[in-house]
Amino acid sequence: MQVFRNATLDITGNRFVKIVTAVLSTGHPTPTFLHYAGHARLYQGNKQRNKIMPSTLVMVNSKRFESSDKMKNLMTVTAILDEALITRQKDSFHRAIDKFNARDRQRRGHVDFIYSALNVIDKFGLEQDVETYNKLLDVFPKDRFVNRSWFDVVWPKPHPQIDCALEVLTKMEEEAVIPNSDTYKILNDVFGRKNFPLQKAQRIEYWFTRFKDINPYKLPSPVPTDPIELGSIALQRIAGSDGIITIYENTQNDDEHKFLLSILSPNQKEFLTNYDTSKPLLIEGPFRVWLSKYPQYYFILRAHASAKIGDEENEEGLVVSSCMLRGDSISMLNLWIDRLRKEISQLSNAEIIFDVNHTSLTPIHGEDNVINTKN
């Protein structure tokens, strides 16, 4: 270390403050000033030059004083993302990440930026893009949080960056995004060989690969967002592949999109054609089924408990039809029954009881058919 200047400064007639400005040789940590009781003394790394009471110690990085004017002119995290939200394209989101990386060599505020970007990633439609997640993970400074010893592996240091990386990987897990080789390379460069984020990425790939083709109700990738298509997939899952889906209502205006879907299999239709009209039918619902992160609400038409199809019977009564709707529940259910009675004349003489809970008294809107992913 070479000391170039020692300066003495009188502050308001109080005790003197000695400021020692030093330039360290390459490879040494940045010097910091320790201000206490009106004095300032120079520290280098963890090597203490003078005995100082730690209870009266406040650390200030000297770099902040040198670049304070520059930091005021840098764009904030919110401004960078708001600029990208104007177009909501993949390129604009990636350019926002590159702009943040270029604004500060030390990547100050990178944790806040990653959290903020993760909250708006759905608005860009990139929630299932592994390249985007890798670009977010690449925002972390390299080689700063690497485990240096065996003790760091057994007792890892509580870096907030680890929690942030785990949040990114959890989002990937929720969206069924499998990490690739670039993901592992980035995590290894940032956190080292043995770390929690790298282990989580390995578990995600192992279990997703293992169970990818086991699900009998596999959804198309990407999952469709059209309500008619989602409702059709849900009804097929409920009633079986032999069911025939009929669209009774599909009207859309500026305020709302109303639709009514019904499914009826050939066996169910034959059962209703020969149904004993002295026994009432029951409408129940709404029930909920999940398709990925999209909840779908449906109603069922249940036969009397004593009725059965062939050898199939149910103590609560067999389900003979199902429907899925959006709009005013009661009016849509009345429309459903009217259409079924036109198709199956036997139902015109049957008594139908509405056994719906209080949620059916309010309309089912479009926002009820998507989960809120905003934190």
Side-chain angles (χ1 to χ4, degrees), residues 86-104:
I86 297 176
T87 57
R88 299 195 177 189
Q89 300 293 330
K90 179 178 179 179
D91 293 339
S92 62
F93 189 77
H94 287 190
R95 281 197 302 269
I97 297 176
D98 294 335
K99 185 178 295 185
F100 176 82
N101 293 338
R103 75 168 196 168
D104 185 7

Side-chain angles (χ1 to χ4, degrees), residues 235-335:
L235 288 177
Q236 290 286 357
R237 176 178 292 190
I238 295 167
S241 58
D242 60 339
I244 300 174
I245 296 177
T246 305
I247 301 176
Y248 290 133
E249 181 78 14
N250 185 17
T251 58
Q252 187 172 4
N253 51 39
D254 296 337
D255 298 331
E256 190 178 7
H257 181 195
K258 296 182 180 180
F259 64 85
L260 174 63
L261 306 177
S262 177
I263 188 167
L264 193 67
S265 67
N267 290 336
Q268 290 173 334
K269 188 173 184 178
E270 181 181 358
F271 172 80
L272 291 175
T273 303
N274 302 317
Y275 187 72
D276 184 2
T277 56
S278 63
K279 300 174 182 178
L281 293 165
L282 199 65
I283 292 180
E284 298 178 348
F287 303 102
R288 182 171 62 186
V289 60
W290 287 88
L291 299 178
S292 182
K293 62 180 179 181
Y294 303 100
Q296 304 296 311
Y297 298 90
Y298 66 96
F299 295 83
I300 61 173
L301 180 64
R302 190 185 295 275
H304 193 269
S306 60
K308 61 181 181 178
I309 301 178
D311 297 333
E312 184 181 358
E313 58 181 351
N314 191 319
E315 295 180 357
E316 297 181 354
L318 296 172
V319 176
V320 293
S321 184
S322 303
C323 80
M324 189 163 293
L325 57 89
R326 180 182 293 178
D328 183 70
S329 304
I330 298 299
S331 61
M332 285 293 186
L333 290 175
N334 285 323
L335 176 63

